[in-house]
Amino acid sequence: MYEQARWAILLEEIECTEEEMMVFAALQYHIGKVSLTEQIVASCPAMDDLDSALQCLEVKMEGESSADDMLETMTAPELHDYLKIFRPKRLTLKGYKQYWFTFKDTTVSYYKSKEESSKEPIQQMNLKGCEVAPDVSVAGQKFCIRLLIPGPEGMNEVYLRCEHEQQYSRWMAACRLASKGKTLADSSFSTEVQSIQSFLAMQKTTPSNNTAQSDESINTHSLVSPRYQKKYKPKQNVAQLSLTDAIQKFLQIWQALPDFGLSYIVVRFKGCRKDEVLGIANNRLIRIDLSVGDVVKTWRYNTMRQWNVNWDIKQVAIEFDGNVNIAFSCVTADCKIVHEYIGGYIFMSTRSREQSNVLNEELFHKLTGGHEAL
């Protein structure tokens, strides 16, 4: 999996920022250096049963929850702070403007000031189903969150700017959870905050007296993609990580990228005369304008009611909640591939933790095979 992630980064199969590319490069260099002195115990039985051990630990911790913990979980937490907001529009030079923001459940509201937070908000934005991407430069002290919020006429682009790392970590974690339909009361909120803070810490270039790295010939071509060759900067923050921790950190950051797991197929939607791109992720479908690359619409699987394939005319039809219906034909792939992707992801979402090692072959073929299932 590490090699898959490494080449996906080097070949730019998945988008990442310059700061993220530098962290990937630092981790790759450290992994290559440490692997010369350490051995990866890939066949260790404990590693094979890692998922089971983590699941047992999680169940045990949940069982030991106190009444205070349960009461805290039942009380819906909120975030509130002064942030800056910017809505990109054509033919405008207006920048960020500061407001008082509150984050409750999956909704962000903002007011002119803290004193007016008891009144009606200027606007409310429900982030469920939105796209969340970082726009961060630690060196430049820029901590922005890019939001693409579904609307009646497409995706509305909004930028939120935070003042410092701690504020950014909390609000970024809240936005990521809200995009998945989860609230601040979710148990993964603190873990998400810590993960973001850890990633930001790795982007800092820490001065070091260790000159061993400068004495070696570093092949940047094996560390970063060609676009970043001239911008390569060595980082010392990962030097203390063990080999296993470095590989796990590389995979964790790779899987946290906004475009991770996306597959793209050129399609033509019913009633349209031009080709567009359909992005297929593990939890959503994304409609992308082929000419400019902008996200037009996002549909979540949890709002899907049914999907069908007309095998005669090679067309996929999908029905969502709210009487939303879409239909498209595939240009660069067979429609059966789209059918298998959707069915496979939905099948994975139906598997509970207790049944994670058991494969229901009948259900799998029913979801992915259509009339061609054996």
Side-chain angles (χ1 to χ4, degrees), residues 51-65:
D51 288 339
S52 300
L54 290 174
Q55 291 169 14
C56 292
L57 177 61
E58 184 175 354
V59 171
K60 182 178 179 181
M61 293 180 67
E62 289 178 354
E64 294 176 352
S65 298

Side-chain angles (χ1 to χ4, degrees), residues 179-236:
S179 69
K180 303 173 185 177
K182 299 180 180 180
T183 68
L184 297 173
D186 192 88
S187 59
S188 61
F189 175 70
S190 58
T191 304
E192 188 73 31
V193 172
Q194 293 174 3
S195 176
I196 295 172
Q197 290 177 342
S198 174
F199 180 60
L200 292 176
M202 295 179 66
Q203 295 188 26
K204 299 177 183 177
T205 303
T206 305
S208 174
N209 295 326
N210 184 8
T211 59
Q213 182 173 342
S214 60
D215 296 335
E216 301 177 16
S217 177
I218 301 177
N219 181 14
T220 60
H221 294 278
S222 64
L223 299 179
V224 299
S225 61
R227 185 154 50 111
Y228 298 98
Q229 291 294 326
K230 297 180 180 180
K231 298 181 179 181
Y232 175 78
K233 299 176 183 177
K235 293 177 180 286
Q236 303 291 340

Side-chain angles (χ1 to χ4, degrees), residues 88-104:
K89 294 181 179 180
R90 294 181 180 179
L91 303 177
T92 179
L93 298 177
K94 293 183 179 180
Y96 287 90
K97 192 170 182 180
Q98 182 170 277
Y99 293 98
W100 176 259
F101 282 78
T102 62
F103 202 123
K104 184 177 181 180

Side-chain angles (χ1 to χ4, degrees), residues 143-158:
F143 304 101
C144 295
I145 303 171
R146 180 173 179 258
L147 302 173
L148 289 175
I149 305 173
E153 300 179 356
M155 304 296 282
N156 299 316
E157 187 176 21
V158 177

